[in-house]
Structure formats: C-alpha cells, structure tokens
Amino acid sequence: VQLQASGGGLVQPGGSLRLSCTASVRAYSTYVMGWFRQAPGKNREFVACLRWGGMRTQYADSVKGRFTISGDYAAATVYLQINDSNPEDTAVYYCAVGGTVTSESSSYRYWGQGTQVTVSS
C-alpha cells in the first residue's frame, strides 16, 4: 500500500487547511487511516484516526474541536481539516494505515511521505 499525502502549506494563525491522503489500493473496511505529525526536534505524535467500517474516529486532545478527520472510501482518500490553527500545529503531517483504532504509531503498518504544514504570520 502506497500513501500520497498532500495539501500542506503556509497558513496564518487562526486559518484553515485541508490535508488529503490517498491510498494506492482501497483498504478493507476494517482498516484504520491515521494522521500523525512531527515538529522539529520533537517525537512523532498522533493526531487523529478513522476506521472505514462505521467511520469511528479518535482524536488527540490537542486537536479536539479544531481538526476533523473524514474519508471517502470509494476514492481511498482520507482528509484532515485543520481549523483555528496555531503555531504549535507546525509540523510534517504523515498519514498511515493500520488495523486498530489507536494512537500508537507502532500499530500502523504503512506510511506516507508527509506534507509540511507551517502556521505563521
């Protein structure tokens, strides 16, 4: 499975951005699509995930109420809508595919190349 993330860029504080991640093959409905991010000098951290079957979602506390994960199963694409951004959201954002709704990065088997999000005025 290959993952292609896109949509990153420069956004002002308080602004919005939508990231996309398209998989090379349509995953089984039990698969989970996740978003993680890594800021300079920091460890990779969980952002949000979505399980295709039932569209169950999970979010990191730091993004609840500001970020929304959604997906188009037919297009094998998951989205991350970023609203009310702040400088702490600056990071490379990665999408990944796993089998469990979890924040543990070790549970995700396939990873995309990442897309840079910079929040700055």
Side-chain angles (χ1 to χ4, degrees), residues 15-65:
S16 299
L17 206 62
R18 190 176 81 156
L19 307 183
S20 301
C21 175
T22 300
S24 57
V25 295
R26 190 183 303 169
Y28 294 113
S29 61
T30 55
Y31 278 23
V32 174
M33 300 287 289
W35 285 99
F36 289 77
R37 66 185 182 185
Q38 187 167 18
K42 295 187 177 181
N43 294 328
R44 187 174 298 186
E45 67 172 358
F46 170 77
V47 175
C49 68
L50 174 148
R51 187 176 69 188
W52 291 117
M55 290 295 183
R56 177 185 171 188
T57 59
Q58 180 175 326
Y59 294 91
D61 289 342
S62 59
V63 306
K64 280 182 182 176

Side-chain angles (χ1 to χ4, degrees), residues 54-90:
M55 290 295 183
R56 177 185 171 188
T57 59
Q58 180 175 326
Y59 294 91
D61 289 342
S62 59
V63 306
K64 280 182 182 176
R66 301 189 299 119
F67 290 18
T68 302
I69 188 170
S70 62
D72 182 341
Y73 182 70
T77 299
V78 65
Y79 305 98
L80 185 69
Q81 178 68 41
I82 299 173
N83 294 329
D84 191 22
S85 59
N86 60 62
E88 289 69 41
D89 295 325
T90 295

